Amino acid sequence: MKFSGLRVLKEGLTGNNGWAPHWRDPEPKAEYDAVIIGGGGHGLSTAYYLAKNHGMSNIAVLEKGYIGGGNVGRNTTIVRANYFLPGNSEFYSHSLRLWEGLEEDLNYNVMHSQRGLINLFHSDGQRDAFVRRGNAMINQGDDAILLDREGVRKHLPYLDFENVRFPIYGGLLHPRGGTARHDAVAWGFARGADRRGVDLLQNCEVTGIDIENGVAKGVQTTRGAIKAKKIAIVTAGRSGQVAAMAGMRLPIESHILQAFVTEGLKPCIDHVVSFGMGHFYISQSDKGGLVFGGDLDFYASYAQRGNLPMAEHVMEAGMTLMPMIGKAKVLRSWGGIMDMTPDGSPIIDKTDTQGLFIDCGWCYGGFKAVPGSGYALAHLMATGQSRETAAGFRLDRFRTGRGLIDEEGTGSQHNLH
Ligand SMILES: Cc1cc2nc3c(=O)[nH]c(=O)nc-3n(C[C@H](O)[C@H](O)[C@H](O)COP(=O)(O)OP(=O)(O)OC[C@H]3O[C@@H](n4cnc5c(N)ncnc54)[C@H](O)[C@@H]3O)c2cc1C
């Protein structure tokens, strides 16, 4: 089933009876060439690129719940390539380039909208830091424009510029930054993988990893044992638990991150805006809801919901930045489980067990990484070599201390990233 404007028109005129399910619902096979544990964005894109770029199709994605039920369907949908440090910047730059061709590649509307992202700064020191970041982005081949206060006012006239606690000095505009519809990204990759022969096994929780003489042989699941030549753990907030099944203790803490959405409003915010003096970021969805979020809940947990003190903190930051937001009614809030590494940067690597790979540590920034991560992990699984854009995401950097990528400059405290 291929999507096109003509097809939508035809179905619209003939009662929408011709649409087929996006993917099959197969029974697990006894053995696969590769098994991906976790049907989130990263697991699905890994399966997709294994099939597309490396010609593998005897692959299964094992998801304990339903496709899109994890963080991939819970985030605030921001897609950007404005990282500063080598190691990260080339990876996110590649990922954004993949986003730019994704809809055509997947034949699926993921509603990728490059509406521009503006990071505000509120002091001379912050301006210096953003000038450096902007130069690093441009050197990397991405785009960055420094705005002064009046430049920001032209783009974002609704911000509070007068008599405020944290005056706005300016902002760094990243024109190619923006948003994408999170569920659609999961569905698009799932459909794309399925079309290339990948089995998507939902309600299939992995409960054990079989290892013999240091070699991964298969997994135990709630739908039976499955043998596999290669296995990847791609379970985001649950990475620590699943890696423990292979006897590994990861340098990861799982923390809650909340998000909020208001009632639908007429278009009023046409960028992604990020506050420089509090952790607050906001955009407006195509349905009209203002989608926003802030900091982690500051304690480790596997709960997929947050608590009121952080909700209050986020609302306060929003009111400080744009008092008009106080008129909107918040409809829903939710939480996801973030896999926080000590340096705030991810892991895509082999493990000490032969045939066992791991992709995790995306902290609260892994949505934008979905295409780049799947591309890089598929490359590693198929060729045994790290792709150059992901060569720094080594697991052993936390043991040796060499090659840490401390993007946020917050040291080793997981909850400060
Ligand atoms: C509120 C919030 C806001 C965010 N905002 C942004 C943002 O604006 N931009 C951005 O780039 N990132 C953002 N993120 C981060 C981003 O969503 C995550 O980093 C990313 O989605 C994680 O990768 P994933 O999609 O593969 O994870 P998930 O979708 O969580 O996938 C992991 C899957 O593994 C499955 N699983 C776990 N254990 C097992 C098991 N034993 N067996 C089988 N399956 C298992 C889970 O059910 C889950 O479906 C945000 C996250 C949250 C929660």
Side-chain angles (χ1 to χ4, degrees):
M1 188 179 68
K2 200 160 174 357
F3 290 115
S4 67
L6 205 63
R7 181 75 195 267
V8 170
L9 196 67
K10 183 178 162 229
E11 290 297 334
L13 294 172
T14 56
N16 281 307
N17 293 321
W19 301 119
H22 275 23
W23 54 83
R24 298 163 295 129
D25 185 17
E27 285 303 313
K29 291 187 208 160
E31 185 165 2
Y32 290 93
D33 292 336
V35 150
I36 314 287
I37 310 174
H42 293 245
L44 294 165
S45 69
T46 302
Y48 175 75
Y49 288 117
L50 271 174
K52 182 184 170 211
N53 294 354
H54 304 283
M56 291 174 70
S57 58
N58 187 27
I59 304 171
V61 176
L62 314 184
E63 167 52 48
K64 76 171 181 170
Y66 62 92
I67 298 294
N71 295 318
V72 71
R74 292 168 176 268
N75 57 70
T76 42
T77 76
I78 301 169
V79 173
R80 58 186 166 89
N82 60 351
Y83 281 68
F84 177 56
L85 293 182
N88 275 336
S89 50
E90 61 270 38
F91 172 83
Y92 288 100
S93 185
H94 174 242
S95 196
L96 183 56
R97 288 200 302 279
L98 291 175
W99 276 105
E100 289 171 338
L102 197 59
E103 292 175 331
E104 206 178 336
D105 189 19
L106 295 177
N107 177 234
Y108 203 82
N109 182 7
V110 301
M111 296 164 77
H112 183 214
S113 159
Q114 294 184 291
R115 57 188 65 182
L117 175 145
I118 300 180
N119 283 100
L120 299 169
F121 47 79
H122 310 261
S123 68
D124 291 334
Q126 271 195 330
R127 182 196 289 114
D128 290 350
F130 273 113
V131 169
R132 284 188 73 197
R133 180 176 292 267
N135 284 332
M137 290 160 64
I138 291 167
N139 283 338
Q140 178 57 46
D142 292 311
D143 56 338
I145 299 171
L146 195 72
L147 303 174
D148 62 11
R149 182 183 155 92
E150 289 315 306
V152 172
R153 198 197 293 267
K154 258 189 222 145
H155 287 285
L156 315 173
Y158 48 81
L159 297 185
D160 191 356
F161 289 89
E162 315 306 329
N163 196 25
V164 286
R165 169 76 179 82
F166 303 111
I168 294 167
Y169 279 40
L172 188 67
L173 169 64
H174 171 33
R176 286 163 63 232
T179 59
R181 166 88 196 263
H182 45 17
D183 305 307
V185 174
W187 301 332
F189 272 113
R191 173 174 168 272
D194 175 86
R195 289 172 87 196
R196 290 173 187 272
V198 174
D199 283 357
L200 306 178
L201 306 175
Q202 301 183 79
N203 298 312
C204 184
E205 178 171 357
V206 171
T207 53
I209 299 178
D210 301 330
I211 299 170
E212 285 169 28
N213 301 323
V215 181
K217 295 286 182 185
V219 290
Q220 299 294 323
T221 82
T222 48
R223 294 178 70 176
I226 298 175
K227 291 200 175 109
K229 297 189 181 74
K230 293 179 181 176
I231 301 170
I233 301 172
V234 196
T235 48
R238 299 274 176 187
S239 298
Q241 292 176 329
V242 178
M245 296 175 196
M248 293 165 66
R249 186 159 177 263
L250 295 181
I252 298 255
E253 279 184 13
S254 289
H255 285 256
I256 303 163
L257 181 69
Q258 301 192 56
F260 308 84
V261 65
T262 69
E263 60 191 328
L265 304 171
K266 286 187 179 170
C268 56
I269 298 183
D270 53 3
H271 297 78
V272 180
V273 186
S274 170
F275 186 23
M277 288 310 278
H279 207 161
F280 177 82
Y281 36 89
I282 186 163
S283 65
Q284 186 165 20
S285 79
D286 291 350
K287 280 197 292 187
L290 305 183
V291 180
F292 55 96
D295 264 321
L296 299 173
D297 264 34
F298 287 124
Y299 57 90
S301 168
Y302 287 110
Q304 281 186 313
R305 61 186 169 80
N307 287 294
L308 286 175
M310 187 48 68
E312 189 177 7
H313 179 80
V314 172
M315 306 292 165
E316 279 173 0
M319 286 295 290
T320 306
L321 185 65
M322 46 178 83
M324 66 149 185
I325 201 179
K327 294 190 177 161
K329 294 189 179 67
V330 173
L331 282 193
R332 286 181 290 121
S333 70
W334 62 91
I337 316 168
M338 306 292 80
D339 38 336
M340 307 299 295
T341 53
D343 67 355
S345 295
I347 298 163
I348 301 180
D349 208 352
K350 298 175 189 169
T351 68
D352 289 341
T353 301
Q354 198 185 316
L356 182 66
F357 301 82
I358 187 143
D359 176 311
C360 63
W362 294 97
C363 301
Y364 41 71
F367 179 62
K368 69 181 90 65
V370 162
S373 160
Y375 203 100
L377 178 59
H379 183 92
L380 178 65
M381 290 178 73
T383 66
Q385 304 296 322
S386 290
R387 196 169 184 278
E388 72 272 19
T389 52
F393 297 161
R394 299 282 305 275
L395 180 56
D396 68 1
R397 71 185 190 270
F398 302 102
R399 190 168 53 224
T400 63
R402 275 196 297 276
L404 293 175
I405 317 173
D406 188 5
E407 182 74 32
E408 307 288 333
T410 44
S412 62
Q413 244 177 297
H414 298 76
N415 61 359
L416 292 183
H417 288 284

